[in-house]
């Protein structure tokens, strides 16, 4: 069983939508429907290290994510259609170093590419496009994958591996499809496209390391079905459904070393799964957030958060 190492009260007045921990497990970043991003130092008591609040977004912050420490960035996206990237200055204060507002509808997800490829971040949007932002000597450059998914892109995730020196990105959309993109900045093509699933793809996560298959990612659909996708060649994918009798699943995420898959359920339950063989996954732990946290949340917390921005 897992145990709680530490806990902290947040100042958020709305539902928490996204959290991330930096590479060294020192800072916890939290995004919320109230438009506030909170950064907590996990190594110091609240009394001596009050939480940092960032309020550049207007409306819900859908995703927050730290980059690799080589770059030291903190990125976020939100219902205001923006991608915002920050970095600490000489005084340790988080300052905006890049802001993009070129999406026509809310941005839904972000993900940093493998750090060996440079500082590159992808951003998905309800407008159906995926924007790619790369840091170079002249600042940030941007390109787009147009018409990535009909009716909007919900989620994206990078592979840590390259295919013939090309980056790989998996995306899920409201067209009930999953697509794998290969290419370089400004030049992208579909490497794989799934048949229509039964409902839109809510979340997706590419395993950072090979497993029983050479390539593995997990998807979660709005109907609560979670599949683990495995392939040895990027073209033929085998689907394995996790816990088909329970349709309360909301999000999926692989651990840093790809050995476990966490599945977030409705009602703040979290299940941890590990592979037994190529067709079998076993639930090894389940934990539920404490009652105090539940009591402080809005009664509508278990709704599909992407439904609010359509």
């Amino acid at each position: 069983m897992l145990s709680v190492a530490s806990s902290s009260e947040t100042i958020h007045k709305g539902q928490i939508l996204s959290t991330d921990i930096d590479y060294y497990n020192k800072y916890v970043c939290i995004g919320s429907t109230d438009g506030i991003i909170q950064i907590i130092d996990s190594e110091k008591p609240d009394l001596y290290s009050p939480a940092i609040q960032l309020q550049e977004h207007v409306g819900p912050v859908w995703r927050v994510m730290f980059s690799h420490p080589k770059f030291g960035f903190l990125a976020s996206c939100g219902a205001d259609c923006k991608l915002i990237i920050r970095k600490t200055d000489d005084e340790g204060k988080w300052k905006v170093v890049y802001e993009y507002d070129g999406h026509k509808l809310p941005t839904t997800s972000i993900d940093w590419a493998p750090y060996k490829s440079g500082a590159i971040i992808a951003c998905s949007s309800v407008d159906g496009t995926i924007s790619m932002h790369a840091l170079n000597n002249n600042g940030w450059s941007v390109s787009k994958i147009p018409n990535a998914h009909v009716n909007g892109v919900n989620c994206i995730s990078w592979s840590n591996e390259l295919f013939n020196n090309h980056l790989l990105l998996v995306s899920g959309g409201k067209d009930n499809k999953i697509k794998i993109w290969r290419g370089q900045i400004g030049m992208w093509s579909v490497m794989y496209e799934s048949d229509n699933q039964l409902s839109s793809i809510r979340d997706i996560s590419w395993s950072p390391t090979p497993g029983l298959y050479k390539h593995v990612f997990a998807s979660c659909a709005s109907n609560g079905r979670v599949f683990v996708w495995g392939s040895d060649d990027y073209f033929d994918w085998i689907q394995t459904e996790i816990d088909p009798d329970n349709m309360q699943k909301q999000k999926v995420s692989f651990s840093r070393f790809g050995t476990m898959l966490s599945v977030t359920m409705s009602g703040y339950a979290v299940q941890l799964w590990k592979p037994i063989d190529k067709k079998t996954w076993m639930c090894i732990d389940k934990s539920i957030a404490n009652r105090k946290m539940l009591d402080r949340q809005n009664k509508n917390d278990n709704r599909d958060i992407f439904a609010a921005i359509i």
Side-chain angles (χ1 to χ4, degrees), residues 4-25:
V4 176
S6 64
S7 63
S8 176
E9 293 289 333
T10 74
I11 48 81
H12 292 294
K13 297 180 181 179
Q15 177 191 357
I16 292 174
L17 300 176
S18 177
T19 61
D20 195 30
I21 302 174
D22 77 319
Y23 185 86
Y24 298 111
N25 298 326

Side-chain angles (χ1 to χ4, degrees), residues 34-257:
D34 59 16
I36 298 175
I37 294 174
Q38 181 177 354
I39 302 175
I40 299 171
D41 189 334
S42 64
E43 297 179 351
K44 298 179 181 179
D46 292 347
L47 178 63
Y48 302 103
S49 180
I52 298 171
Q53 297 182 40
L54 307 174
Q55 301 186 46
E56 293 91 0
H57 283 286
V58 177
V61 179
W62 296 114
R63 190 72 189 271
V64 293
M65 181 171 287
F66 288 103
S67 72
H68 189 274
K70 177 180 179 180
F71 308 112
F73 295 121
L74 170 64
S76 61
C77 67
D80 56 4
C81 312
K82 292 182 178 180
L83 162 69
I84 298 177
I85 297 177
R86 308 162 188 80
K87 192 171 185 177
T88 54
D89 59 17
D90 294 337
E91 299 178 353
K93 296 182 179 179
W94 289 95
K95 299 294 184 182
V96 175
V97 296
Y98 177 70
E99 182 174 319
Y100 178 75
D101 60 0
H103 284 289
K104 298 178 181 179
L105 292 172
T107 47
T108 54
S109 184
I110 51 177
D111 196 25
W112 290 99
Y115 78 95
K116 293 181 180 180
S117 302
I120 301 173
I121 188 169
C123 179
S124 62
S125 172
V126 179
D127 65 13
T129 68
I130 301 172
S131 60
M132 302 290 185
H133 308 260
L135 180 63
N136 50 51
N137 294 333
N138 298 319
W140 291 87
S141 62
V142 59
S143 61
K144 278 189 177 181
I145 300 177
N147 305 314
H149 289 273
V150 178
N151 298 325
V153 188
N154 285 344
C155 48
I156 49 178
S157 181
W158 290 100
S159 169
N160 273 349
E161 301 177 32
L162 300 179
F163 180 79
N164 293 335
N165 294 321
H166 287 77
L167 291 166
L168 295 173
L169 179 77
V170 63
S171 63
K174 292 188 177 299
D175 55 2
N176 304 353
K177 290 185 177 182
I178 291 171
K179 296 182 180 181
I180 297 177
W181 306 86
R182 67 177 173 184
Q184 299 171 336
I185 298 302
M187 299 177 60
W188 296 90
S189 61
V190 176
M191 185 177 183
Y192 171 82
E193 181 175 336
S194 71
D195 296 331
N196 284 1
Q197 303 295 295
L198 296 178
S199 60
S200 66
I201 308 303
R202 173 182 284 155
D203 195 25
I204 206 156
S205 178
W206 203 311
S207 175
T209 58
L212 298 175
Y213 290 98
K214 291 182 180 179
H215 320 293
V216 179
F217 67 85
S219 66
C220 179
S222 58
N223 61 2
R225 301 184 73 182
V226 166
F227 288 94
V228 177
W229 302 65
S231 174
D232 290 325
D233 61 5
Y234 288 117
F235 298 101
D236 295 320
W237 292 88
I238 305 299
Q239 301 177 48
T240 301
E241 186 167 8
I242 285 183
D243 199 8
D245 296 327
N246 190 335
M247 298 303 173
Q248 301 300 313
K249 309 176 194 76
Q250 301 283 336
K251 295 182 73 65
V252 290
S253 179
F254 277 100
S255 62
R256 180 173 295 177
F257 299 104

